[in-house]
Amino acid sequence: MGCGLRKLEDPEDSSPGKIYSTLKRPQVETKTETVYEYVLLDFSLEGSRPTVQYVSSLSELPQALQPYYTQGYVLTALHPIILSVGRTRSLPFSLLYRAILARPRPRYTYPTHLVPMLKVEEWPLPGDSLTGDTVRALIDRVNSSARGGVRFVGSVLQQVSGVTNGRVHSPKRSCRSPPRTPPRTPPGDRELEENTYSPDLRLLVFFHAWAPGCAPLDSLACQYHQGALSMRVSRKGQVVSALEADWLELTAAYYRKGWSLVDSFVYWDTPRGEPVPRSLEGLFVYEERSTSPPANDTIVVEQWTVIEGSNVKTDYGPLLHTLAEFGWLLTCVLPTPIIRHDSDGNLATKQVVFLQRPALSMHSDVSSRSVSRSISSPIPAEELSPTAGGIGGFPVFGGGYPSALSHLEEGGFEQEEGKAEVTCM
């Protein structure tokens, strides 16, 4: 099951991204009854910019996103754009976070009392680091909350403060206190060497809740399960410079059950004095609904995000908008500490994006129109720029992109040797 792993990618690989799927490309581009619209919003904990909204804490997101909820959007994923794990100092944009919201199209008008409310809770980290036991305890607590009729959206570790001796400590400030970061300089290769920077963190957990008696039936008694996450890595010193994982093999058994991937955790840090491992472990978190949904197909994208100046220049947004036309729902984004500089000196980081769609029946009455486009030439930079405007004055990334499958390199769909196209499962 699944495509065999290729050799671990060259750390200097500059390809824009790779796509892995349980389907062949014509099936990926099969029209379904569901089409999604996405909004990508960036938030900073250290000041606003033309395309970035300032919040003093991510605990303010429910209020900040409310204008979108009134328009039918809901939060599907939240992640930091840059991870400074293993570096000598905090990198620029370490306090920049991305929120992805989605709504079905055509947009349905729901009575106000049926629209979910986004809730956030701050949970203390037991101990001074994120471990397997910590995550398992998190899942137990999520299940306890879910029995009260809420749905788990995801969690994020929010940076709070300064430099320590390579250890993660519980926060010592209130949720609304502005974070402090150490002095920063433009990033360079020296920052890819030693592990001395680690900020204080707080775990923020997000839920969707409804007024009493108003929760959808499939949101009642949801259960959350852990799944294995493992990857091989290359390093420069202590810093992860490349990774490889059989994403389809790791997730396929859960998707076949109709479960949804909603969150992920990786234990990036290596305790001082211990040998540097060539593999890393973590956990996926899956949602099982009370109803019996069909099996899910999946797409996994390893994608580079490039930051030019203070703005995101290139990311997974164009691809996401293209796949939305075929009913693909983004449910999780795994940020990585893999960071490089492109030929123009811009900061680039790799992220892993997970999308799913109910498996199509062989006899389902759907349009099978497949969009045949080259996937060898990247989209021009001007087409990747964020559009102005949005709801409530927020800047929005997205809208009006051509097919972004062309944004990934030729042969981007994972395939076996000697075959032009392959189903990866």
Side-chain angles (χ1 to χ4, degrees):
M1 180 178 65
C3 294
L5 286 176
R6 299 177 297 180
K7 291 183 179 180
L8 189 61
E9 71 177 49
D10 188 318
E12 302 305 323
D13 175 30
S14 59
S15 61
K18 297 182 178 68
I19 297 181
Y20 308 85
S21 180
T22 54
L23 301 173
K24 296 180 181 180
R25 181 169 175 179
Q27 295 169 307
V28 166
E29 297 179 319
T30 296
K31 291 284 188 178
T32 70
E33 293 179 356
T34 303
V35 175
Y36 288 102
E37 295 177 344
Y38 287 99
V39 170
L40 282 63
L41 302 172
D42 291 342
F43 294 89
S44 174
L45 302 181
E46 57 180 357
S48 61
R49 294 184 284 276
T51 59
V52 179
Q53 176 75 19
Y54 170 74
V55 290
S56 62
S57 168
L58 294 177
S59 61
E60 298 176 5
L61 281 188
Q63 294 77 27
L65 298 179
Q66 185 57 36
Y68 291 93
Y69 272 68
T70 61
Q71 298 295 319
Y73 289 98
V74 295
L75 181 68
T76 64
L78 175 68
H79 66 89
I81 291 182
I82 294 288
L83 288 183
S84 292
V85 175
R87 287 170 175 78
T88 57
R89 61 183 64 88
S90 174
L91 293 174
F93 312 107
S94 292
L95 299 180
L96 188 63
Y97 294 81
R98 163 69 56 83
I100 303 102
L101 297 92
R103 71 180 180 188
R105 193 177 75 213
R107 179 163 54 91
Y108 301 102
T109 301
Y110 295 102
T112 304
H113 66 281
L114 295 181
V115 176
M117 298 171 287
L118 184 62
K119 303 286 188 180
V120 59
E121 298 180 8
E122 180 181 344
W123 292 0
L125 288 176
D128 59 0
S129 63
L130 189 64
T131 65
D133 289 339
T134 303
V135 176
R136 282 184 281 272
L138 163 68
I139 296 174
D140 288 342
R141 188 168 176 181
V142 165
N143 277 314
S144 178
S145 297
R147 286 190 285 272
V150 299
R151 286 183 63 184
F152 177 55
V153 178
S155 63
V156 65
L157 286 167
Q158 178 178 297
Q159 296 188 14
V160 180
S161 65
V163 177
T164 64
N165 292 322
R167 306 289 286 174
V168 177
H169 294 276
S170 299
K172 299 177 177 62
R173 296 180 178 85
S174 68
C175 260
R176 303 186 65 84
S177 298
R180 297 186 303 175
T181 54
R184 296 169 301 168
T185 59
D189 292 339
R190 289 182 179 271
E191 295 184 341
L192 304 179
E193 295 175 359
E194 297 299 331
N195 178 15
T196 60
Y197 173 78
S198 187
D200 287 351
L201 302 175
R202 62 167 64 102
L203 184 65
L204 298 180
V205 185
F206 293 83
F207 294 95
H208 278 144
W210 289 262
C214 297
L217 291 178
D218 65 353
S219 296
L220 297 174
C222 287
Q223 292 186 333
Y224 297 88
H225 308 273
Q226 67 184 45
L229 195 173
S230 59
M231 61 186 77
R232 295 187 298 144
V233 296
S234 296
R235 295 177 183 265
K236 291 183 178 180
Q238 292 281 341
V239 175
V240 176
S241 59
L243 63 83
E244 185 81 64
D246 192 343
W247 303 116
L248 301 179
E249 187 78 22
L250 289 168
T251 58
Y254 304 97
Y255 282 121
R256 283 200 300 269
K257 296 179 181 180
W259 295 1
S260 297
L261 175 60
V262 293
D263 207 354
S264 59
F265 299 87
V266 178
Y267 318 126
W268 298 108
D269 286 309
T270 302
R272 283 189 169 277
E274 294 189 10
V276 177
R278 296 190 177 183
S279 64
L280 289 174
E281 304 298 323
L283 288 175
F284 284 125
V285 181
Y286 296 91
E287 178 187 78
E288 177 188 9
R289 298 195 184 183
S290 54
T291 55
S292 299
N296 286 313
D297 284 314
T298 184
I299 293 175
V300 183
V301 183
E302 295 180 5
Q303 173 74 40
W304 286 99
T305 289
V306 178
I307 300 175
E308 182 178 53
S310 61
N311 298 318
V312 174
K313 174 186 177 184
T314 305
D315 64 2
Y316 54 79
L319 178 65
L320 182 60
H321 291 291
T322 295
L323 293 174
E325 296 294 321
F326 306 105
W328 290 97
L329 178 64
L330 182 148
T331 62
C332 183
V333 177
L334 173 63
T336 78
I338 299 175
I339 297 175
R340 303 176 192 157
H341 296 85
D342 67 11
S343 58
D344 297 322
N346 298 318
L347 202 64
T349 184
K350 178 168 284 190
Q351 294 154 349
V352 186
V353 182
F354 297 85
L355 303 100
Q356 67 184 47
R357 185 181 70 183
L360 300 178
S361 167
M362 294 296 292
H363 305 289
S364 61
D365 183 20
V366 296
S367 170
S368 59
R369 289 175 294 168
S370 178
V371 182
S372 299
R373 295 183 177 94
S374 168
I375 59 172
S376 59
S377 58
I379 292 176
E382 59 270 16
E383 295 182 4
L384 296 172
S385 301
T387 59
I391 300 172
F394 284 82
V396 177
F397 288 82
Y401 292 107
S403 173
L405 294 176
S406 62
H407 184 47
L408 301 182
E409 86 271 22
E410 186 69 45
F413 276 81
E414 182 67 357
Q415 51 189 283
E416 295 173 355
E417 258 185 82
K419 294 187 179 181
E421 189 173 57
V422 65
T423 298
C424 291
M425 206 173 74

